[in-house]
Amino acid sequence: MTDPLDRIRRPEYTGENRCWPCTITNSIALAVLVGGLAILGRRLTAGVVALAGTVAIALRGYVVPYTPRFAPTLVGTLPIDPFDHGRPDAGTGSLSNVGSTADGADPAVPTGETVLSELLEAGAIAVDGDEIVLQRDFREEWHREMRTLREADLATLERIADRRTDSSVDARTRRNWGRSVLVLDGGDALVTLPRGVAVAELAATRALEGRVDSPAIRRAAGRPLRSLLERCPLCDGPVTVSRSSCCGEVTPIGRTPPKKLVCSACNERFFTFDADESER
C-alpha cells in the first residue's frame, strides 16, 4: 500500500540531503508568520499554520513552495551570503585561483594534465582501474597536516596562507556570520574559501612540499585532491556525496543537481563535481 505522505515528501531536500541553513531560515519565517497571527488574535489559525508548516519542513525540507527555484535570485540580491551557497566559487574556489605565477618561477598556471602527472610521479596518487586514489603514505601525511591546521587559530592560519600563496596575493581571515573563512586578494581577483577548504588545501601544499618542487603545482593540486577526501578536515568525520540542491544554487528544470562532497556534521562543502563526473 502506498503511503499517502509519499506525495508530499521530497527526499532530495531531506535526510542527509537536508540543507540546514535553509531549513532554519524557513523555520524563522514560519515562526514570524505564526507570531503575527497570534498577535492579531487568530490563535486557532496560528496553530493550524504552525502544525502544517512544521510538517512541510519535516517532509519536504521547505515550508515555502518552490524555495529552490526562487531562493537563488533572492540570495543573490543580498550584499552578503551568510551560508556561502550563492558564491560561484563555493566548493570550487582554490588557492590557485588568484595570483599570477608561482613566485615568478613558473611561466603559466599549470594545466590539469600537468598537475595529475606530477602527483602520479610524486607518489601522491595512483590509478586503480578507472579511479584515481590516494597513496597510503601520502594520505596519512596529508591527514596529519590537516589535523595540525584544524587546531590553528585564525591568525596562524592567515600567516600560513600568506606563505603558501603567490607573493602577489594578500591572505587574510575573517568570520562571516559565525563561520571562519580565508580571503585571498590578488588585486584583480578575490576568492573566499571556507575554513574547511582552506585547511584541506594548505595541508596539501605542506604534504607535497617534499614531493613536488613547483609551488604553483602544489597549490593547483589542492582542488583535485579535495575530490578524494574521505574524512572531514575539520571534524575528522565521514564525508558523503550528496545531490542536495538548496538556496543559492540554480539547477535547470529537468536537470539533476551536481554531486557534492560534503560533511553534514560541519555543513561544509568540499568539492562540487562537474556534470560529466556527476553521472558516473
Side-chain angles (χ1 to χ4, degrees):
M1 182 176 178
T2 303
D3 188 340
L5 294 180
D6 285 343
R7 295 184 177 182
I8 302 175
R9 289 191 176 96
R10 297 295 299 275
E12 65 269 37
Y13 302 129
T14 56
E16 68 174 15
N17 291 329
R18 181 179 294 277
C19 173
W20 285 107
C22 300
T23 296
I24 292 171
T25 300
N26 276 249
S27 299
I28 293 174
L30 176 63
V32 170
L33 176 59
V34 171
L37 290 171
I39 291 174
L40 293 174
R42 304 176 65 177
R43 296 180 181 274
L44 179 58
T45 302
V48 172
V49 170
L51 177 60
T54 301
V55 171
I57 292 175
L59 297 179
R60 297 177 60 84
Y62 300 94
V63 66
V64 181
Y66 306 111
T67 293
R69 296 188 185 182
F70 70 77
T73 302
L74 178 62
V75 173
T77 64
L78 299 176
I80 55 176
D81 179 1
F83 304 133
D84 294 333
H85 288 75
R87 297 194 334 271
D89 63 310
T92 60
S94 175
L95 295 176
S96 61
N97 285 155
V98 290
S100 52
T101 61
D103 304 321
D106 292 339
V109 175
T111 64
E113 291 77 7
T114 300
V115 173
L116 179 62
S117 175
E118 287 281 348
L119 290 177
L120 285 168
E121 185 176 344
I125 61 175
V127 178
D128 183 9
D130 294 333
E131 297 183 348
I132 294 176
V133 298
L134 295 173
Q135 292 278 34
R136 180 177 178 179
D137 57 343
F138 174 74
R139 180 176 63 244
E140 293 176 351
E141 191 173 348
W142 187 21
H143 286 188
R144 183 164 56 250
E145 293 290 355
M146 284 190 281
R147 285 194 296 270
T148 298
L149 293 183
R150 84 166 63 118
E151 302 297 333
D153 56 28
L154 289 183
T156 301
L157 199 63
E158 181 177 306
R159 288 195 297 271
I160 294 172
D162 223 15
R163 293 195 299 267
R164 297 284 168 175
T165 52
D166 186 272
S167 58
S168 64
V169 175
D170 176 34
R172 59 183 183 274
T173 55
R174 61 180 173 83
R175 297 189 67 83
N176 181 19
W177 286 67
R179 297 170 65 90
S180 302
V181 296
L182 173 66
V183 180
L184 304 176
D185 188 352
D188 58 349
L190 188 71
V191 172
T192 302
L193 303 181
R195 184 185 180 111
V197 171
V199 166
E201 293 207 7
L202 289 172
T205 65
R206 288 157 62 109
L208 288 170
E209 192 161 23
R211 299 169 179 262
V212 176
D213 293 333
S214 168
I217 291 179
R218 293 199 298 267
R219 288 191 292 267
R223 182 180 182 276
L225 285 174
R226 273 193 282 122
S227 71
L228 303 177
L229 281 170
E230 300 168 348
R231 313 290 298 181
C232 174
L234 296 179
C235 71
D236 203 35
V239 293
T240 58
V241 175
S242 169
R243 286 189 183 273
S244 174
S245 176
C246 60
C247 66
E249 179 180 353
V250 179
T251 300
I253 297 175
R255 296 289 298 277
T256 302
K259 290 181 180 179
K260 310 168 193 67
L261 193 63
V262 300
C263 173
S264 57
C266 297
N267 189 35
E268 195 92 338
R269 186 196 322 180
F270 296 105
F271 195 83
T272 300
F273 295 92
D274 295 333
D276 55 341
E277 295 174 300
S278 295
E279 299 306 318
R280 295 176 185 175

